[in-house]
Amino acid sequence: MGGLNRKDHEDIEIYFSQKLAGSISDKDLIYINALIEQDEAIHQRWQAFCKDFKEEDIQDQFSRLDDHRVWKPITAAELHAKPTVSRPLSVLVSKKYIPLYAAAILIALFIIKDPAGLLIPKKVQPSINKPVQQEAFVLKLADGREIDLSKLNGGGQEGIHYNSQEKLLSFDVNLASEGNSTLKVPAGRSLSMLLSDGSKIMINSSTEINFPMVFGGRKREISIQGEAYLTVAKDPSRPFTVRTSSGEVRVLGTEFNLNSYDPGTMMVTLVQGSVKVVTPKSQVTLKPGTTAIAGQKEKISVEQNKDNQALSWRKGIYYFHNSDLKEIKEILERWYNLNIYIDNPDLLNQRFTGALDKTGEVSIFLDNLTAVTTIKYAFDSSHNVHFN
């Protein structure tokens, strides 16, 4: 039923926010209304959620926010004040920005859970950003030669093809090649690759993949450092193995996401099929809809997916859930090819919840982040970002 498929969704307040703002899709509105009517727990959560808002705001879907006079800068007194009555809206976001995928705006859920008092940020405009030079996709062949894929211009070279429009790298099926090649996807970019067996890999920023252009023998093996979404072609006679520094994933034919940015941890999210996650200490077979978190020293843990948030990067969306500034720094550096410095170590204790849209200017996210926190940021002459 509808786009919501888990009534115990931890972030159902997101949909509550969209329902109040009038920005929810018809399909999700029908479904969320049904949940409120039929599920007592959801009904109670909805009533508790609405208590944080004025009745007139609920009735007219916050139309008063279209009046620019309601926007004002936050003051120090407001920031540190403790609420003495039931909170209204901790940070009020204009309803045209309330949809989850709006240009990197921190949505209402982030605001409502803020423990500080009434914070009403002024409307912000994107800062003028210096264009960031994008690094090239570089394919290093087994013999040591390096190929800049952008120079293929849609054509081929030695059986190697790159379509710049689709951002797709592929190889001739009869390509004669020995040894492994290495593909590096730089920060701020992504790429898809079609392997010789028909398997397809969507590769996230700052990721390196080592693979053979042609699978020989009775096995298919690649290694990944970073993040990728794999759709593995079925071939029972040749199992497919993905190696990381933390362990490996063994499959026959399936779809799954692999995150191994942290050399000490591997996260595997299974979409369909079956995979076995193996580390030096343990192993586990995943079922669709679950995620395995594996390290080199700890036992593998398995948890249910949270509304496919581990897969959202494929659409250019990243969700922050009670995330510290270190995580935000790492994601912004990876997605926007920036260098970010945390000049004030006290900021590391702050945590945030919200959504980042990769298609928006980084300054939009930064401006809205600083509007609801004590964090300040600045670009230096080399276009590095400093948090202070």
Side-chain angles (χ1 to χ4, degrees), residues 1 3 20 62 88 100 104 114 116 127 188 219-220 252 264 287 304 351:
M1 210 189 340
L20 288 184
F62 297 92
L100 187 59
D114 187 86
S127 302
K219 60 183 180 180
R220 297 174 290 171
L252 290 176
K287 295 180 180 180
Q304 293 294 317
R351 292 185 172 274

Side-chain angles (χ1 to χ4, degrees), residues 149-216:
L149 299 185
S150 63
K151 294 182 179 179
L152 295 182
N153 295 322
Q157 176 179 329
E158 300 181 32
I160 302 168
H161 304 272
Y162 176 63
N163 186 319
S164 59
Q165 295 296 322
E166 298 181 2
K167 295 182 179 179
L168 177 65
L169 175 64
S170 61
F171 311 95
D172 289 345
V173 293
N174 57 353
L175 180 65
S177 176
E178 296 183 358
N180 281 13
S181 299
T182 301
L183 174 67
K184 293 184 178 180
V185 177
R189 309 195 72 180
S190 61
L191 176 72
S192 292
M193 180 169 62
L194 189 63
L195 297 178
S196 62
D197 67 335
S199 298
K200 188 173 183 179
I201 307 177
M202 184 175 181
I203 310 164
N204 204 353
S205 305
S206 301
T207 297
E208 182 175 307
I209 295 187
N210 184 266
F211 65 99
M213 290 187 185
V214 177
F215 290 113

Side-chain angles (χ1 to χ4, degrees), residues 112-369:
I112 295 165
K113 299 303 181 183
D114 187 86
L118 178 62
L119 306 179
I120 304 181
K122 63 182 181 179
K123 288 183 177 179
V124 293
Q125 297 295 330
S127 302
I128 299 176
N129 289 345
K130 176 183 176 182
V132 179
Q133 183 67 35
Q134 288 191 328
E135 296 181 40
F137 294 115
V138 176
L139 177 65
K140 186 175 182 179
L141 304 181
D143 60 11
R145 289 179 296 154
E146 294 187 350
I147 297 177
D148 181 347
L149 299 185
S150 63
K151 294 182 179 179
L152 295 182
N153 295 322
Q157 176 179 329
E158 300 181 32
I160 302 168
H161 304 272
Y162 176 63
N163 186 319
S164 59
Q165 295 296 322
E166 298 181 2
K167 295 182 179 179
L168 177 65
L169 175 64
S170 61
F171 311 95
D172 289 345
V173 293
N174 57 353
L175 180 65
S177 176
E178 296 183 358
N180 281 13
S181 299
T182 301
L183 174 67
K184 293 184 178 180
V185 177
R189 309 195 72 180
S190 61
L191 176 72
S192 292
M193 180 169 62
L194 189 63
L195 297 178
S196 62
D197 67 335
S199 298
K200 188 173 183 179
I201 307 177
M202 184 175 181
I203 310 164
N204 204 353
S205 305
S206 301
T207 297
E208 182 175 307
I209 295 187
N210 184 266
F211 65 99
M213 290 187 185
V214 177
F215 290 113
R218 296 183 178 180
K219 60 183 180 180
R220 297 174 290 171
E221 292 184 351
I222 67 172
S223 64
I224 297 177
Q225 185 61 47
E227 184 168 32
Y229 183 88
L230 296 88
T231 303
V232 177
K234 293 183 179 181
D235 187 349
S237 65
R238 294 191 300 169
F240 194 104
T241 301
V242 183
R243 302 188 185 279
T244 75
S245 58
S246 301
E248 62 185 41
V249 183
R250 301 171 185 173
V251 306
L252 290 176
T254 187
E255 290 188 31
F256 65 98
N257 192 80
L258 170 68
N259 184 326
S260 63
Y261 281 120
D262 183 347
T265 304
M266 173 176 60
M267 295 179 61
V268 181
T269 301
L270 182 61
V271 177
Q272 67 179 32
S274 178
V275 301
K276 180 179 290 186
V277 180
V278 181
T279 69
K281 298 292 183 179
S282 61
Q283 61 182 20
V284 64
T285 299
L286 283 184
K287 295 180 180 180
T290 59
T291 295
I293 303 174
Q296 294 176 321
K297 298 180 180 180
E298 301 177 356
K299 183 179 179 180
I300 300 172
S301 63
V302 179
E303 59 185 39
Q304 293 294 317
N305 294 348
K306 297 178 180 179
D307 200 34
N308 289 329
Q309 291 176 7
L311 311 177
S312 62
W313 67 267
R314 297 182 301 154
K315 297 181 179 179
I317 303 294
Y318 188 90
Y319 296 97
F320 296 107
H321 284 276
N322 198 30
S323 303
D324 58 26
L325 195 57
K326 181 176 181 292
E327 179 182 344
I328 293 177
K329 169 184 180 296
E330 291 174 352
I331 297 301
L332 293 179
E333 287 182 329
R334 187 182 303 150
W335 279 26
Y336 289 97
N337 193 21
L338 293 170
N339 291 320
I340 299 179
Y341 302 94
I342 302 176
D343 297 334
N344 181 359
D346 292 339
L347 299 178
L348 292 172
N349 297 322
Q350 298 196 34
R351 292 185 172 274
F352 315 90
T353 294
L356 169 65
D357 186 340
K358 188 178 182 180
T359 62
E361 293 286 349
V362 65
S363 59
I364 297 178
F365 178 83
L366 293 174
D367 287 340
N368 283 279
L369 177 65

Side-chain angles (χ1 to χ4, degrees), residues 1-12 15 24-25 27-32 34-35 39 42 101 270-271 288-290 304-309 311 315 319:
M1 210 189 340
L4 298 173
N5 53 19
R6 289 187 58 202
K7 65 182 180 181
D8 59 345
H9 192 300
E10 293 182 0
D11 294 326
I12 200 167
Y15 300 95
I24 195 170
S25 69
K27 182 183 294 185
D28 283 348
L29 179 60
I30 292 172
Y31 187 63
I32 198 67
L35 283 181
D39 189 302
I42 298 297
Y101 301 125
L270 182 61
V271 177
T290 59
Q304 293 294 317
N305 294 348
K306 297 178 180 179
D307 200 34
N308 289 329
Q309 291 176 7
L311 311 177
K315 297 181 179 179
Y319 296 97

